[in-house]
Amino acid sequence: MLPMTTMAIHGKTRVVGVFGDPVEHTLSPPMQNRAFAAMGLPYVYVPWHVSAEYLADAVAAIRALRLKGVNVTIPHKVAVLDLLDEVTPQARLIGAVNTIENRNGRLIGHNTDAPGFLRSLVEETGVTPEGQRFLLLGAGGAARAIAVQLLLSGARSLVLANRSLARAQQLCQFLDGLVPQTHVEAIALNTQSEEFLQALVHADVLVNTTSAGMYPHHKEPPLVSADLLRRELLVCDIVYTPRRTALLKEAERAGCRVLSGLGMLAHQGALAIEIWTGRQAPVELMKQTLDEELAKREKEIDVSEGGCNVRD
Ligand code: NDP
């Protein structure tokens, strides 16, 4: 357990934080404050509970209070786009902003979730998307962000498998043609179907971007069982509560390499710090902080099964 370093607040303190609804269970404040302290920077990171009706006021306050920036989480990642002066081309493609930068009163929207996934993938597994065949489970906001990132990073092909086929087809339509000559396909998430089994056989990397397996559904059967997984497959799950999801346990049983969602969460936070400060963030320390916080949560869950809704 690392000592919790606290930063003294003074006239030169810069304030950043997160807008969300709810925010009580966000893991970002301990992660970001420990990073700032380790970097020796006079920043504090606070949670702000912002309901939809006050989102525009809260965004205006970034300018009024000269905040260096904020993160934006559920449910504001899409609605906030219309309230900013500028949105990066990638965040615009993804259709969601999770980090706002205040550049001398001009508010710029970034998406660090998608590059956070990419950095976690490359740093923790050594796998780069170039030439790889990806099978993504899901077609929600996280799937769109990761799919855009993988296509822009040179993925050879991308199959989207979703419970609701229509939603996968809609996302596929948007992605198709984003990068010419890259094959994008939508199928139903049905492990009984030949189509899905073929997609599994031909994939190099499987990424779960659905919320299946996330607390309080962590004891439900995994979307894909060990007997369907080849040991050559890299299996990633962006769910991080619990850290070892049922899908990752199955993948380990099948002898696959696995990647949990903790790295993505740490890297999206590290990238936000880099946008606000221009300095490289201590990502290993941030992962360690998340690991400690999640271990505490998992202990609580096992003991009480009480409410725990962790989102970032
Ligand atoms: P959305 O609500 O936009 O999408 C949810 C997706 O999950 C849909 O594809 C939905 O399918 C699918 N789904 C939900 N329940 C099931 C189920 N029981 N079986 C099969 N599919 C299911 O959510 P997001 O995309 O924003 O987030 C998804 C997950 O990613 C969350 O758990 C979130 O915590 C995690 N996440 C992790 C991050 C990280 O940093 N590690 C960052 C961002 C998100 P359908 O369309 O059929 O309803």
Side-chain angles (χ1 to χ4, degrees):
M1 177 86 171
L2 290 168
M4 186 54 83
T5 324
T6 48
M7 189 62 85
I9 308 258
H10 48 69
K12 290 186 178 154
T13 300
R14 303 300 311 253
V15 183
V16 290
V18 57
F19 293 171
D21 182 12
V23 277
E24 286 77 9
H25 297 287
T26 175
L27 293 163
S28 292
M31 173 175 77
Q32 303 295 60
N33 283 318
R34 195 181 273 175
F36 285 130
M39 294 166 83
L41 292 176
Y43 278 68
V44 287
Y45 186 104
V46 294
W48 282 291
H49 188 164
V50 176
S51 49
E53 63 188 302
Y54 290 118
L55 182 62
D57 292 340
V59 169
I62 300 172
R63 283 196 200 87
L65 302 174
R66 294 174 190 258
L67 305 182
K68 194 73 186 158
V70 296
N71 285 130
V72 180
T73 189
I74 309 289
H76 305 312
K77 288 186 185 186
V78 177
V80 81
L81 258 84
D82 293 336
L83 303 169
L84 304 174
D85 298 310
E86 194 181 320
V87 174
T88 65
Q90 187 163 343
R92 178 80 59 196
L93 271 181
I94 290 168
V97 158
N98 78 325
T99 302
I100 300 175
E101 173 195 6
N102 182 359
R103 209 183 282 167
N104 303 318
R106 208 173 151 69
L107 302 185
I108 299 156
H110 301 256
N111 187 301
T112 68
D113 282 330
F117 173 76
L118 179 65
R119 274 204 194 177
S120 169
L121 176 73
V122 175
E123 284 185 15
E124 288 168 54
T125 70
V127 170
T128 51
E130 288 91 358
Q132 304 281 346
R133 297 164 300 181
F134 287 86
L135 171 56
L136 254 64
L137 310 182
R144 177 165 162 150
I146 290 175
V148 166
Q149 182 70 59
L150 293 176
L151 290 175
L152 296 180
S153 306
R156 178 167 144 202
S157 64
L158 191 63
V159 178
L160 303 164
N162 197 46
R163 184 174 58 178
S164 141
L165 177 59
R167 199 170 177 194
Q169 285 168 331
Q170 217 175 2
L171 180 56
C172 181
Q173 226 169 18
F174 164 75
L175 295 169
D176 204 21
L178 196 63
V179 177
Q181 265 110 48
T182 305
H183 176 76
V184 187
E185 187 185 341
I187 62 173
L189 204 179
N190 172 8
T191 55
Q192 309 290 317
S193 82
E194 190 52 33
E195 197 178 35
F196 184 83
L197 296 176
Q198 281 302 313
L200 257 184
V201 167
H202 291 111
D204 302 306
V205 187
L206 172 70
V207 188
N208 175 45
T209 73
T210 77
S211 46
M214 184 169 102
Y215 179 84
H217 304 290
H218 56 301
K219 292 187 177 150
E220 289 175 9
L223 292 179
V224 186
S225 54
D227 55 309
L228 300 179
L229 299 169
R230 302 171 357 260
R231 55 178 298 122
E232 298 77 28
L233 195 64
L234 168 63
V235 179
C236 315
D237 197 337
I238 70 163
V239 169
Y240 48 82
T241 45
R243 290 163 294 173
R244 262 182 92 233
T245 60
L247 176 65
L248 293 187
K249 286 184 195 164
E250 289 296 294
E252 282 171 348
R253 273 206 316 130
C256 304
R257 281 200 298 157
V258 299
L259 177 69
S260 89
L262 189 148
M264 176 178 175
L265 187 59
H267 277 286
Q268 63 77 33
L271 284 159
I273 289 183
E274 288 166 26
I275 288 167
W276 296 327
T277 69
R279 296 255 311 262
Q280 207 176 342
V283 76
E284 286 310 317
L285 177 71
M286 295 166 78
K287 278 190 209 164
Q288 203 175 329
T289 308
L290 286 176
D291 197 51
E292 288 171 11
E293 293 295 322
L294 287 167
K296 279 190 245 165
R297 301 260 167 109
E298 285 170 22
K299 225 167 153 183
E300 284 167 27
I301 292 165
D302 283 339
V303 172
S304 65
E305 287 293 316
C308 173
N309 174 20
V310 191
R311 298 293 299 251
D312 267 286

